[in-house]
Each structure stands twice: as C-alpha cells, then as structure tokens.
Amino acid sequence: MITLLNAAPDTGNQGVSALCLSALAGLAAREAGPLAVADHGRGVRMDDMGFARVSRLGLTHNRRFWRGDSLATVRALARIGGGPSASARMIAGSRAILDVSGGDSFTDLYGPRRFRAMVLTKRLALDNGLPLILLPQTLGPFRDPANRAEAVAILAAARAVWVRDAASFDFLRDALGPRFDPDRHCLGLDMAVALPRREPADLSPRLRVWTSHARGFPVAGLNVSGLLMQDAAGAQATFGLADRHDSQIEAAARAVLEQDPHMRLLLVPHVHRDLGDRESDLAASLALKARLDADYPDRVEVLPGRLDATELKWVLSRLSWFAGARMHATIGAFSSGTPTLGLGYSDKAAGVFAQCGIGDHVADLRRLDAPALAQAVRVSLAAREATRCDLGNRLPDLLRRAEAQMDAIVHQIRS
C-alpha cells in the first residue's frame, strides 16, 4: 500500500483535491501498487476514483483520542501494528508514505495547530520506519527557530523531498547543508499541471453554450476568493494587500467587461464551502455578481459550486482568458492552454508560475491597488492571443517534465 497524506479529497478546497487526484492518477498509471489517501471520514472505505479503486482512511487532528481516526491515536497504535484502529493498521502496513502538506502548509505561517498537524503526519511515517517522500510543495516560511529546526530534522530524515519553486529549493539546500543530496532533494513542478480533465455531466443549458467552442463570443473567467473577499479588511491586514480585495476583484471584473462589449464573465468558485463559511468562493462569487448585474445584464454567470477538480479544469480549458487568486484554479487554466493571470497574495504563486516559465503572468495584490490591478487585467486580456500561442509552445515540454517527475517519484518509492 502507498499512502498519501495531507491531500484529503473531502476538504472542499479543489486545489487540495487537484493535488490528490494528480498524485493518485499518476501513481495508478504507473501501477505503483495499491493506493490509499487519508481524509476526514471514519475508518477505512473503498472509493472508485475512475482511474483506480483507492482506500480512504480517516485521519483527523483532533482531541477525540478514543476514536481510531484521531491522528494522535493512529500515531501511537501504528507502532504496534495498528491494533484496533483500521487507519493505524493501514499506515503500519504501508510501503511508503507520500505527503504533500496541502501544497503550502508545511510552515508555521498558519499558526501552531496546523504546523503541529503537518509535523505529526510526517512523524507518523518516520517514527514507524516507513519511507517518507514529500511531494512537490512550498516549504516555509518558518518564523520560530524551534519550528524551523523541527522542520529541517524532518526534511533531513525523509527519503526524498520535492519542492515546486526556486525559493523553497534554496531553503532546502541551505537548511540541509552537507546533508543535501541532489538525488533525494529535487526541484519540480506543482503536480496539478498533470491533472486530468473531465467534462461535467450536468451544466445548465446556458453554461453549455458558454463553454462551447461554437459559442460565437469570448468568455473570460475569474476566480473570486472567499478567503480574501469575505473579510476584506481582515485579509488586507493579514496578507498586506495594497487595497481591500472586494475593491480589487470588482475592479478586475469591470475591466474585463468594459474592454469588450461582447465579452461574458464566468465566476469560478474553487473552494466549495457552505455559503456562511468565510472561505466560500461561491458566496463571494454571488456577492460580486449581485454588484455587477445592474451594469452588465446577462453578461455575468457563476459556475455552480459542485464541480470537482477535474471538471473545473475542463471548464477552465474552454475559456478565452482567466484570472484568480486561488493558485490551483490558475494552474488548471494555464496547464490547459488558457491565457492566465495569477493574482498573487504571497510569494507562492510567483514561484510556481516561474517554475513553469510564466513568472511574468502574476499580478501582485500586495503591490497593486484596485485601479492598478484593473490596468494589469486590461494588459493581460489584450495580449491573450499571444499568450495562448506562447502557452501552446510551452505546454508539451511542461507536461513532459510533469511525467518525468512522477516517473522519478515512483522510482524513489521502489528504491
């Protein structure tokens, strides 16, 4: 059994799901062995994911120590073979543990609880003598020296560590010093570049037209991040944005709609949560649509918040242009050949885009207020056909790199 951690397919965050599905599909295509992924459910269950049947095991960082899916309980029981916990038995019997840290969560930036969960899942492998492979992800920052030391100890003990941006690679090389090994410590690509896409079965008739190649009008896409928009003042302070994000994203949307009177705008949620959740992209998208409808009747639609990551990538592939702050939404777009502008609120997006050769296609929300962002959108939108041509030239090599990366990961599992 090969077990994937910190890529749960049931978080509602389709970026995390994209990493999960990309990793599992790549492993299944190479017949790497039986596959399992940790989620937030109970016990062990089988799931047909289309490309393979995958075991899903409950593993949750909580204080319900009496439950067999509590991370602390699983960690303790795995040392004795798993005992009464099905999740612990599956971990203990794994050939290797793969860990993607949600893409960007191996850091103390998000607080002590998340950092501790990232540490404990990795220790779950190391303490049980299981090979640990960190899949391509961002590392750090680690603001607390003790946290940094703990993270570096894990990086040194892992069988292999993959990162997806140059800054993380520089950190890895500097932190490990003489323990750095180019055969084990690798600079790669975000795995979602290779995510398969699948046509949704239940789009509305109107959205069927909007996503048809024969539609006769351009359709731009925009991801509206609930994380940044729903508490705009708080997000501005937390991430150091140059303006409130509700002002930024509305200015971006109006720039799209005013540049071409024939243009339609599709708002694309990428984190699916209840409408009352402050991270719900659907709630943020509906709020933006309500502000635009009076000025641009029948030109703005919201994609339903029920499509999975592969279906979202199909929709993104049909657009004339796309922009967004949810990084894996933008990866889904540009890896499908759609001209894309990343809206960065940290260094993460710029690093991942640069590693794919398109680092100049990121607008930094920390430096651009609403009018400046609108201008960046207009420039990107006007250049979309040239960008599409450039992506078409880049994508074959990018996809070859993604395939070679997964080949190397499977080799590390088997070595």
Side-chain angles (χ1 to χ4, degrees):
M1 185 69 67
I2 298 168
T3 301
L4 176 62
L5 302 184
N6 290 313
D10 58 354
T11 66
N13 185 324
Q14 297 308 307
V16 176
S17 295
L19 293 173
C20 173
L21 295 172
S22 299
L24 294 175
L27 294 167
R30 289 158 178 80
E31 299 181 343
L35 303 174
V37 60
D39 66 10
H40 298 93
R42 301 288 296 272
V44 173
R45 295 135 283 129
M46 292 301 298
D47 187 5
D48 186 348
M49 293 191 166
F51 49 80
R53 285 180 61 78
V54 176
S55 299
R56 291 173 62 155
L57 59 131
L59 190 66
T60 305
H61 185 40
N62 59 40
R63 294 179 178 274
R64 300 185 180 98
F65 305 123
W66 59 90
R67 281 178 31 176
D69 50 41
S70 165
L71 174 55
T73 301
V74 169
R75 186 177 176 221
L77 291 176
R79 298 180 183 184
I80 57 170
S85 166
S87 295
R89 291 195 300 272
M90 184 161 286
I91 292 288
S94 294
R95 178 180 183 179
I97 301 293
L98 311 184
D99 192 324
V100 72
S101 305
D104 68 349
S105 290
F106 197 17
T107 173
D108 58 10
L109 188 64
Y110 300 118
R113 177 175 172 79
R114 191 183 300 189
F115 175 72
R116 187 52 42 195
M118 293 301 108
V119 166
L120 291 178
T121 46
K122 294 163 182 59
R123 284 292 177 197
L124 179 60
L126 297 175
D127 292 350
N128 285 282
L130 301 171
L132 172 66
I133 297 176
L134 301 192
L135 297 179
Q137 59 191 270
T138 299
L139 298 178
F142 301 103
R143 298 174 295 186
D144 185 306
N147 291 342
R148 184 184 189 279
E150 190 168 19
V152 171
I154 289 170
L155 296 171
R159 170 175 287 187
V161 179
W162 290 78
V163 296
R164 61 186 186 182
D165 63 276
S168 292
F169 190 66
D170 289 343
F171 167 81
L172 182 63
R173 184 171 49 203
D174 294 344
L176 293 182
R179 295 174 292 181
F180 179 84
D181 179 351
D183 291 330
R184 296 169 48 223
H185 305 126
C186 310
L187 175 59
L189 301 171
D190 189 287
M191 290 184 300
V193 164
L195 179 71
R197 57 181 184 246
R198 178 169 61 93
E199 182 176 356
D202 59 350
L203 288 179
S204 69
R206 182 174 173 84
L207 289 180
R208 285 275 168 215
V209 172
W210 281 35
T211 54
S212 167
H213 286 315
R215 61 188 173 236
F217 51 83
V219 178
L222 186 64
N223 165 251
V224 187
S225 168
L227 173 67
L228 300 182
M229 180 173 166
Q230 298 223 76
D231 178 13
Q236 184 178 7
T238 299
F239 298 109
L241 306 186
D243 209 338
R244 287 174 54 101
H245 190 63
D246 51 357
S247 299
Q248 290 174 321
I249 203 70
E250 183 172 349
R254 290 181 180 275
V256 170
L257 292 163
E258 290 168 5
Q259 186 141 330
D260 182 346
H262 303 292
M263 182 75 76
R264 272 62 161 186
L265 179 62
L266 181 62
L267 304 181
V268 181
H270 211 253
V271 170
H272 301 161
R273 302 277 172 82
D274 293 338
L275 291 179
D277 190 308
R278 65 179 294 271
E279 289 202 30
S280 169
D281 287 5
L282 179 58
S285 297
L286 293 170
L288 179 59
K289 183 180 188 302
R291 294 207 291 270
L292 298 172
D293 275 345
D295 294 330
Y296 311 100
D298 298 322
R299 292 179 61 196
V300 181
E301 284 292 334
V302 177
L303 194 68
R306 61 176 179 269
L307 303 189
D308 69 22
T310 60
E311 293 171 317
L312 285 167
K313 187 167 183 176
W314 184 90
V315 171
L316 294 166
S317 75
R318 315 291 281 194
L319 300 177
S320 307
W321 177 89
F322 182 74
R326 297 289 191 185
M327 190 180 71
H328 281 99
T330 60
I331 293 173
F334 76 65
S335 65
S336 302
T338 298
T340 302
L341 180 67
L343 306 182
Y345 59 93
S346 70
D347 294 335
K348 174 180 65 175
V352 170
F353 273 54
Q355 188 59 17
C356 295
I358 53 173
D360 54 343
H361 290 267
V362 178
D364 194 331
L365 298 175
R366 299 168 299 181
R367 295 182 172 87
L368 302 177
D369 63 9
L373 179 61
Q375 177 58 20
V377 166
R378 285 189 285 267
V379 170
S380 176
L381 196 60
R384 66 183 184 273
E385 291 311 317
T387 302
R388 187 181 297 278
C389 181
D390 179 62
L391 283 173
N393 292 331
R394 291 181 184 276
L395 278 177
D397 180 63
L398 197 60
L399 295 174
R400 278 193 296 270
R401 288 168 59 195
E403 293 297 312
Q405 172 178 274
M406 186 55 70
D407 289 340
I409 290 168
V410 170
H411 177 73
Q412 290 168 337
I413 293 170
R414 291 172 173 162
S415 64

